[in-house]
Amino acid sequence: MSQKERVDLIEIDLLDMCKYILSKWVFILIGMVVFAGAGFGYAKVKSKTEYSSKMQVYVTVPKTSDKVLIRDDAGALVYDYARLIDSDIITKEIAKDTKISKEKIKDALSAEQIDGTRILEIRVKSKNKKYTEKISKKVLPVFQKVVTKSLGKSEPIIINKPSKIKEEASISTKKTIILGAVLGAAIIIMISFVVYMTQLFKKTEGNSITEG
């Protein structure tokens, strides 16, 4: 009988295989602890603290009259303002007031429309707490000035002022630990499966030789 034929004759008892793998629970646990520890170490070394603040404005358009035709669409304006928030016209004004470079301000600013609304959420996020504080204080006044003076549009209504500065890690330690533990368990289970199959193959091969 060829080796291929012997492999084809191998019958896998799933219950027996599960019992074998579960019997290695100590090694699985050790693997989880080791990899979770590695994940914790990685998060501590690679993670950097970032500081953020959020604020929201409501975008309005002028009321229409018999003599004036308003072509602005509020939804389109929200999208436009989201793209405008880190443009030179905004960052240049903030840079003058804060003495922070335009490049750093561009990196710190972002904005997005809240789905189905006229609300624009502006976010300031950087690794420097003082920069985040300074930019957060200036972004709304500058934004409103640019919208009304430079663009000639209606003034957006501030519905949420800059939130308290929030400190957060760039890499979640908790998630990294959980991922490490899952990975450690998966590796040990895979090794146990390979060992089980190797032993089963040898056993089947031995029985075939004896019968032959």
Side-chain angles (χ1 to χ4, degrees):
M1 184 181 294
S2 67
Q3 183 176 359
K4 183 179 182 304
E5 290 174 330
R6 286 196 296 270
V7 171
D8 291 338
L9 289 174
I10 295 178
E11 294 183 3
I12 300 175
D13 186 333
L14 293 178
L15 181 60
D16 183 62
M17 182 180 70
C18 290
K19 287 181 179 179
Y20 177 82
I21 291 175
L22 289 175
S23 70
K24 307 300 180 183
W25 66 269
V26 174
F27 296 101
I28 294 174
L29 183 61
I30 292 173
M32 291 176 68
V33 171
V34 170
F35 277 81
F40 175 79
Y42 175 83
K44 287 299 180 181
V45 172
K46 295 293 183 179
S47 181
K48 296 179 181 178
T49 302
E50 295 179 318
Y51 303 90
S52 64
S53 176
K54 294 180 181 179
M55 58 213 77
Q56 295 178 333
V57 297
Y58 183 83
V59 177
T60 61
V61 294
K63 292 182 179 179
T64 58
S65 69
D66 294 337
K67 297 180 180 179
V68 181
L69 178 62
I70 302 301
R71 297 185 182 279
D72 285 333
D73 174 77
L77 281 178
V78 178
Y79 178 82
D80 290 345
Y81 292 165
R83 306 284 75 78
L84 177 73
I85 200 67
D86 63 350
S87 64
D88 287 343
I89 195 172
I90 296 281
T91 56
K92 183 179 179 181
E93 289 294 319
I94 298 176
K96 283 196 303 185
D97 294 337
T98 61
K99 308 302 179 186
I100 301 172
S101 70
K102 287 198 308 178
E103 290 71 25
K104 289 181 178 178
I105 295 171
K106 279 179 178 286
D107 289 339
L109 281 174
S110 63
E112 64 179 357
Q113 179 181 8
I114 296 180
D115 290 343
T117 72
R118 297 182 183 181
I119 298 174
L120 179 69
E121 184 172 270
I122 302 169
R123 186 175 188 180
V124 182
K125 185 176 183 179
S126 77
K127 297 173 185 176
N128 188 306
K129 187 176 182 179
K130 289 184 178 179
Y131 284 0
T132 302
E133 290 174 344
K134 288 182 177 181
I135 297 171
S136 297
K137 290 178 181 178
K138 295 295 180 180
V139 65
L140 286 181
V142 170
F143 176 68
Q144 288 185 312
K145 178 183 175 182
V146 168
V147 168
T148 57
K149 302 296 183 183
S150 301
L151 304 181
K153 304 294 184 181
S154 292
E155 182 177 71
I157 300 171
I158 298 173
I159 57 176
N160 279 316
K161 294 181 179 180
S163 63
K164 185 177 180 181
I165 303 299
K166 182 181 179 181
E167 182 178 327
E168 54 189 33
S170 59
I171 298 176
S172 172
T173 301
K174 183 178 180 180
K175 289 181 179 178
T176 308
I177 290 174
I178 293 173
L179 182 62
V182 171
L183 180 62
I187 290 174
I188 299 302
I189 289 173
M190 183 60 68
I191 292 173
S192 299
F193 173 76
V194 171
V195 172
Y196 176 84
M197 291 302 296
T198 301
Q199 292 177 351
L200 184 61
F201 177 78
K202 288 181 178 179
K203 181 179 178 181
T204 304
E205 188 177 43
N207 291 337
S208 298
I209 294 172
T210 302
E211 291 173 1

